[in-house]
Amino acid sequence: DLAKAPVTNFTDALAGRVAGVQVNSNDGQPGNVSNIVIRGANSLTQSNAPLYVVDGFPMEDVDANNISSADIANIDILKDASATAIYGARGANGVVVITTKKGKSGRPIFSFNSYVGMQNNPKRVKLLDAYEYVKLMLEVNPSTNTPRYLNSNFPTLESYRNATTIDLQDELFRTAIYQNYDISLRGGNENTQYSISGNRLDQNGIIINSGFKRWQGRFDL
């Protein structure tokens, strides 16, 4: 299920999939990492982020963009007394246990996966056109706005009927391309197993001049 979700990092893929786990984002920009809160907030002044354990190594304040979703084999969420029993006070906010993919004995396995998608703003704000806007301004304050909007080029309100209207949303939003490529080679024998993987992600934001690019490489022996 994690691999099927076309998301930038694994935190977004957990949203709505695990009971008792809240995933929310404070920022909608590309590459933003969502906040994970397990079983509600425990502190008003301190961090409510869980403890991350990646391949047995406890880590705090993990940047989820540093771990490719394609390299994750399994995610376990500890959200009850077992978390503090194993990890002590550091597990008070819950524990996210991540196990990454490893090489296995046997012939080398090569895999490549990619997908391309598009993102856009599905619902825009309905704005006034030139005629409607000038009509509103003249109704709000006729004495001030009449000389401002009625001139030699537009002598009457009706002359704005065919005036060119610029929707600033057209200047701000765009249809953005989202690309992701994963490649890996895993194998080994009874004594040595290896895993080599790489990831390239290129996410253009729906707002012009915004986006997120990521190159990742991982080697496990």
Side-chain angles (χ1 to χ4, degrees), residues 31-107:
N32 177 65
V33 177
S34 299
N35 299 319
I36 295 180
V37 178
I38 299 175
R39 292 300 185 194
N42 297 319
S43 175
L44 296 175
T45 59
Q46 303 299 317
S47 173
N48 289 294
L51 175 69
Y52 291 87
V53 179
V54 182
D55 290 335
F57 292 93
M59 306 170 65
E60 297 179 0
D61 297 326
V62 170
D63 185 352
N65 284 320
N66 291 335
I67 305 174
S68 173
S69 297
D71 287 333
I72 296 178
N74 188 54
I75 294 182
D76 292 310
I77 308 269
L78 306 182
K79 50 192 175 184
D80 50 24
S82 61
T84 54
I86 300 173
Y87 298 100
R90 289 190 297 176
N93 293 326
V95 182
V96 179
V97 182
I98 298 175
T99 304
T100 60
K101 296 179 180 178
K102 303 287 193 296
K104 298 180 180 180
S105 300
R107 61 185 180 87

